[in-house]
Amino acid sequence: MSSDSDLIKLYSQRILALAADIPHRGRLEAPQASIRKRAPLCGSTVTVDLDMEGGRITRFGQDVKACALGQAAAALMGAEIVGRTRAEVVAARDQLRAMLRDGATPPGAPFHGYEVLEPARDYRNRHASILLSLEATAEAMAEAERAACA
């Protein structure tokens, strides 16, 4: 069982600083793709808008309504998201999921900094919120690719 002091440690200064400074915050006007995802257990939501060209993100916006952990994860992703391919985003999502569930190493380049969320491994009810931004982005990229082929 986790104690209150464990929960306080979970919300470190680094996580709170990330949560306060999310890159690409806000919605895009007329995006190629837009996806809203919700974590049913906690109610966190992330809406991702993006444009792609040549298989890479060229414009990106995110509206994040999540706990500090979900916001920190969105900030880490947002710092590196422009110019990324869907394969890179899916790999980061899968690596983050494995880090949280299985104790695997955090996502590698180009997505750095997720080790700050390692203490959240013990809080399964927070995992969905942490994964939301990468999941929504991967889905939005798939939607943009389908639209380009139509």
Side-chain angles (χ1 to χ4, degrees):
M1 186 87 189
S2 300
S3 70
D4 287 343
S5 66
D6 290 337
L7 199 55
I8 290 168
K9 284 183 209 166
L10 179 62
Y11 289 96
S12 70
Q13 288 299 104
R14 174 79 176 123
I15 286 173
L16 296 176
L18 285 165
D21 191 22
I22 299 174
H24 305 288
R25 179 170 259 172
R27 304 289 308 272
L28 295 182
E29 190 171 319
Q32 289 176 338
S34 183
I35 292 288
R36 180 179 182 271
K37 291 215 37 106
R38 182 176 179 274
L41 189 61
C42 66
S44 292
T45 61
V46 171
T47 304
V48 166
D49 300 324
L50 57 79
D51 289 345
M52 292 179 64
E53 187 176 313
R56 295 185 178 276
I57 294 175
T58 55
R59 273 192 336 144
F60 184 83
Q62 57 183 342
D63 181 30
V64 182
K65 302 211 180 342
C67 66
L69 298 171
Q71 291 177 41
L76 290 166
M77 182 201 68
E80 304 295 337
I81 200 64
V82 173
R84 300 295 152 226
T85 66
R86 185 157 59 110
E88 289 172 315
V89 171
V90 167
R93 178 201 63 201
D94 293 348
Q95 290 166 349
L96 181 58
R97 182 180 291 127
M99 180 193 90
L100 292 169
R101 293 185 183 165
D102 306 323
T105 59
F111 295 100
H112 302 284
Y114 282 96
E115 63 278 353
V116 73
L117 295 167
E118 286 178 310
R121 287 177 176 150
D122 296 335
Y123 298 89
R124 287 192 154 329
N125 60 335
R126 303 285 206 269
H127 291 186
S129 181
I130 292 168
L131 289 162
L132 269 181
S133 56
L134 284 166
E135 289 176 343
T137 301
E139 284 186 34
M141 293 177 85
E143 181 179 290
E145 289 169 355
R146 283 191 299 274
C149 292

